[in-house]
Amino acid sequence: MEPESRYREMPACYNDNETLACIARRSSTRAFDPMRPPTEEQRAAVLHAASRAPSAGAMMLYSIIDIQERTTLERLAVLCDDQPFIAKAPWALVFVVDYAKWMDLFAALELAADEPRGIRPPGRGELAIAAQDAVAAAQTAVIAAEAVGLGSCYIGDVVENAEDVAELLDLPPYTLPLSMLVIGTPAKERPVTPHAVENLVMSERYRRADAATRAAQVAEMDALYRPHATEPGARVQDIYHRKHMSAFMAEMDRSLARWCANWTGEGSLRV
Ligand SMILES: Cc1cc2nc3c(=O)[nH]c(=O)nc-3n(C[C@H](O)[C@H](O)[C@H](O)COP(=O)(O)O)c2cc1C
């Protein structure tokens, strides 16, 4: 088998595998059935599964904020780049990269009593592992939601408007809300979203795309995004203008600088 074709299809011997089928059928859900909000059992299953995600040193370097209040969802819809479907979701989970809980424990146990500068605040190293913890938990919640008949959608824009989000969710120093999910019963059948896989898996070393690989990438994306892609390279152009050069990305950039300062305690968003 050619290395690049290994992962294009699921090997037939796993066709009956329920876990892989669940992963394969998932797609982002942005329309929820208002008559069928998640049951307590479904919510508990999703949260329990999230807590079973791998965690660096089993330190659980994240917290999950469980949001069901309509006013909070409505405010988040505005703060997360004006996405009205967030306000209509029955449930949201914010995955907060969290070192505050460890700083509080270190302080309570007076572990830096002999250290004149106090407890060393978290830095980039802690951020790298804690962010992985938070996203691992979020993605485990996504798959668990699918497994119990719910749909979900990530809201990456939760890192925008740091000042307002910190106030809305009472986020202290040494935290950073990295991922948000909206979750509910899908209002309708969802077709699976095509995912481009050219230039995705590299054997043994990073391999920068050559002209032929770039051409294959462009062709694959244009084919997947037809009928929107009307001319060669249309998808790349679309991403450049709608994402790369967007106002929301500029806001994310600004806001993340504030969150990073909050993480290290150098520029707390709240006291
Ligand atoms: C980090 C991340 C952030 C995302 N943020 C948003 C968002 O703010 N709004 C939205 O509608 N979808 C968002 N999505 C969903 C993606 O658009 C979606 O995963 C992608 O189009 C692929 O579709 P699929 O999930 O149906 O396979 C996000 C996904 C990820 C992984």
Side-chain angles (χ1 to χ4, degrees):
M1 203 182 270
E2 288 296 309
E4 284 74 18
S5 61
R6 265 179 311 166
Y7 52 85
R8 286 182 186 276
E9 302 285 343
M10 187 60 73
C13 61
Y14 293 118
N15 280 351
D16 295 334
N17 185 290
E18 278 180 34
T19 308
L20 295 175
C22 178
I23 292 169
R25 71 167 181 266
R26 182 215 58 83
S27 66
S28 290
T29 302
R30 299 179 181 84
F32 304 100
D33 184 343
M35 305 310 288
R36 291 188 296 156
T39 64
E40 283 309 312
E41 288 76 14
Q42 285 173 316
R43 292 179 197 270
V46 169
L47 291 171
H48 174 71
S51 79
R52 295 298 310 144
S55 164
M59 284 172 72
M60 313 300 278
L61 292 160
Y62 62 97
S63 295
I64 305 172
I65 304 186
D66 177 332
I67 296 170
Q68 300 181 36
E69 282 179 11
R70 186 72 17 221
T71 49
T72 310
L73 291 162
E74 284 168 359
R75 185 84 182 110
L76 285 167
V78 174
L79 293 176
C80 298
D81 195 35
D82 286 312
Q83 299 191 74
F85 75 91
I86 297 170
K88 295 188 180 154
W91 193 24
L93 297 176
V94 177
F95 292 81
V96 178
V97 188
D98 188 0
Y99 215 80
K101 53 176 67 173
W102 283 105
M103 294 298 275
D104 288 347
L105 290 169
F106 297 155
L109 273 68
E110 298 180 6
L111 296 178
D114 301 333
E115 173 58 60
R117 282 169 302 179
I119 301 167
R120 180 183 72 77
R124 285 173 287 209
E126 283 88 1
L127 183 58
I129 54 168
Q132 292 181 71
D133 265 30
V135 176
Q139 183 56 20
T140 304
V142 165
I143 300 305
E146 186 70 32
V148 299
L150 298 172
S152 68
C153 185
Y154 277 93
I155 305 295
D157 298 280
V158 73
V159 297
E160 290 170 34
N161 295 304
E163 302 79 359
D164 294 327
V165 171
E167 190 181 337
L168 181 69
L169 303 180
D170 269 342
L171 289 163
Y174 318 122
T175 63
L176 189 170
L178 188 60
S179 283
M180 172 165 142
L181 296 175
V182 287
I183 303 176
T185 307
K188 52 183 189 287
E189 285 281 306
R190 297 155 297 155
V192 164
T193 312
H195 286 192
V197 295
E198 284 289 347
N199 200 24
L200 184 64
V201 180
M202 302 173 185
S203 186
E204 306 297 343
R205 299 278 187 283
Y206 190 90
R207 186 200 57 198
R208 200 142 192 196
D210 56 16
T213 306
R214 288 196 300 273
Q217 272 185 276
V218 168
E220 182 191 36
M221 284 191 271
D222 285 343
L224 291 179
Y225 291 93
R226 240 172 246 133
H228 307 295
T230 48
E231 53 172 319
R235 173 69 178 162
V236 180
Q237 288 181 41
D238 173 54
I239 293 290
Y240 180 78
H241 295 296
R242 207 164 46 84
K243 303 275 191 191
H244 186 76
M245 297 303 287
S246 66
F248 84 76
M249 194 52 76
E251 168 52 22
M252 249 188 214
D253 223 29
R254 181 205 70 81
S255 184
L256 200 63
R258 299 275 343 245
W259 279 122
C260 287
N262 190 66
W263 175 258
T264 59
E266 286 160 315
S268 301
L269 285 156
R270 289 171 65 75
V271 283

